[in-house]
């Protein structure tokens, strides 16, 4: 019974004890599962911190603004881990490696170059949950670089879902039903990410009414939607969802 449990655990985690000194994270499926899980958990955990620890009735303006709160460690560590795992992810072809590296570097830039200040001033009494404040003289270039990095991150991941995850070395007419379904999921996730990014751009350029955009906290919800779609597509690619994939390039 013990051996059966050990074998089940090894198979579920893609552990390989056939070779000495094996490294668990050398498995592409494992990396995909970790990246997907971290991506899907991030918005949920940050929103939970707002509703509980910060005693708010909703989220902050954006996911990135949690950098300025006591949830900063959760934000920076999770985004950094996603970035690192994307950088070490080799994929199935050189193009996978290149696009994943671009997304990973962009994720690290998002974590290390925060967006504009959450509070209006240092020690803002109206925002007791805001514990960090930066000199406003650095606000312009830093927040602009943050926005560009976030856009590159999402576009790269959308590109992977739309054009890389759907590839196969099996002719289209001979692909199994499971692969066809997974490709539909990848495309839907990619489109959701692009649509979410477009809504954010429309809000930042004030094409959407600033009053409406800010009242609905659309930056947070669009970022959350995009990250959830990204995470889900990686869980599907890592075979954590929708069953095992056939042994072909998928």
């Amino acid at each position: 019974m013990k051996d059966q449990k050990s074998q089940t655990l090894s198979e579920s985690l893609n552990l390989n004890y056939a070779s000495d000194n094996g490294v668990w994270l050398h498995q592409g499926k494992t990396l995909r599962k970790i990246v997907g899980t971290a991506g899907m958990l991030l918005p949920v955990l940050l929103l939970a911190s707002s509703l509980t620890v910060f005693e708010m009735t909703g989220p902050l303006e954006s996911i990135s603004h949690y950098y300025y709160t006591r949830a900063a460690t959760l934000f920076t560590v999770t985004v950094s881990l996603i970035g690192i795992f994307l950088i070490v992810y080799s994929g199935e072809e050189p193009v996978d490696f290149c696009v994943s590296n671009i997304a990973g570097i962009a994720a690290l830039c998002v974590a290390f170059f925060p967006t504009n200040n959450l509070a209006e001033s240092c020690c803002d009494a109206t925002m007791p949950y805001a514990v960090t404040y930066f000199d406003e003289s650095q606000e312009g270039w830093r927040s602009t670089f943050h926005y560009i990095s976030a856009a590159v991150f999402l576009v790269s991941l959308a590109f992977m879902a739309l054009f890389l995850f759907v590839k196969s070395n099996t002719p289209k007419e001979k692909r199994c039903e499971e692969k066809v379904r997974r490709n539909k999921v990848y495309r839907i996730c990619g489109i959701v990410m692009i649509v979410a990014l477009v809504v954010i751009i429309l809000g930042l350029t004030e094409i959407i009414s600033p009053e409406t955009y800010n009242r609905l906290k659309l930056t947070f919800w669009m970022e959350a939607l995009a990250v959830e779609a990204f995470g889900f597509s990686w869980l599907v690619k890592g075979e954590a969802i929708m069953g095992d994939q056939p042994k072909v390039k998928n």
Side-chain angles (χ1 to χ4, degrees):
M1 179 66 70
K2 184 177 180 181
D3 291 339
Q4 290 179 343
K5 290 183 177 179
S6 298
Q7 182 177 359
T8 301
L9 178 63
S10 299
E11 291 176 351
S12 62
L13 296 178
N14 295 316
L15 298 175
N16 180 11
Y17 293 104
S19 58
D20 293 334
N21 301 318
V23 179
W24 177 48
L25 289 180
H26 82 283
Q27 293 283 349
K29 293 179 184 177
T30 304
L31 282 171
R32 294 167 190 154
K33 290 175 182 176
I34 293 175
V35 170
T37 301
M40 295 197 74
L41 284 178
L42 180 61
V44 176
L45 294 177
L46 293 178
L47 177 59
S49 69
S50 287
L51 301 177
T52 56
V53 179
F54 306 154
E55 298 181 348
M56 299 175 64
T57 58
L60 298 182
E61 296 177 26
S62 71
I63 288 177
S64 298
H65 275 105
Y66 283 89
Y67 180 95
Y68 296 98
T69 71
R70 287 185 290 276
T73 301
L74 173 61
F75 169 75
T76 54
V77 169
T78 304
V79 175
S80 296
L81 283 176
I82 291 173
I84 292 170
F85 287 140
L86 287 171
I87 290 173
V88 301
Y89 175 72
S90 62
E92 298 163 346
E93 294 181 355
V95 64
D96 299 75
F97 176 75
C98 293
V99 177
S100 180
N101 263 258
I102 292 172
I105 293 171
L108 293 178
C109 291
V110 167
F112 297 144
F113 295 89
T115 186
N116 56 294
N117 283 307
L118 175 61
E120 295 294 331
S121 61
C122 184
C123 303
D124 190 340
T126 64
M127 294 184 179
Y129 44 82
V131 296
T132 302
Y133 184 83
F134 286 127
D135 183 357
E136 291 186 354
S137 64
Q138 301 178 359
E139 192 87 345
W141 75 266
R142 192 188 68 244
S143 58
T144 299
F145 186 72
H146 176 89
Y147 292 142
I148 294 173
S149 299
V152 171
F153 172 68
L154 291 178
V155 169
S156 299
L157 294 172
F159 180 86
M160 294 187 75
L162 289 170
F163 302 108
L164 301 185
F165 287 179
V166 299
K167 294 171 69 174
S168 175
N169 56 7
T170 302
K172 188 174 182 179
E173 63 277 4
K174 294 183 179 180
R175 293 176 189 175
C176 64
E177 186 177 345
E178 289 78 11
K179 174 59 178 171
V180 173
R181 285 202 300 265
R182 284 193 297 273
N183 280 359
K184 290 180 180 179
V185 171
Y186 298 144
R187 292 190 176 100
I188 291 172
C189 289
I191 291 171
V192 167
M193 283 185 267
I194 294 298
V195 170
L197 180 59
V198 169
V199 172
I200 293 173
I201 293 173
L202 293 177
L204 293 176
T205 55
E206 299 188 359
I207 294 176
I208 297 177
S209 167
E211 189 278 329
T212 301
Y213 187 84
N214 295 328
R215 176 171 53 83
L216 297 177
K217 304 288 182 67
L218 285 181
T219 296
F220 176 88
W221 292 116
M222 290 300 103
E223 288 178 342
L225 182 63
V227 172
E228 291 294 323
F230 139 64
F232 190 81
S233 67
W234 277 70
L235 285 177
V236 173
K237 185 64 176 175
E239 301 182 10
I241 299 176
M242 300 183 70
D244 294 335
Q245 300 183 357
K247 298 183 181 302
V248 295
K249 185 184 295 182
N250 48 38

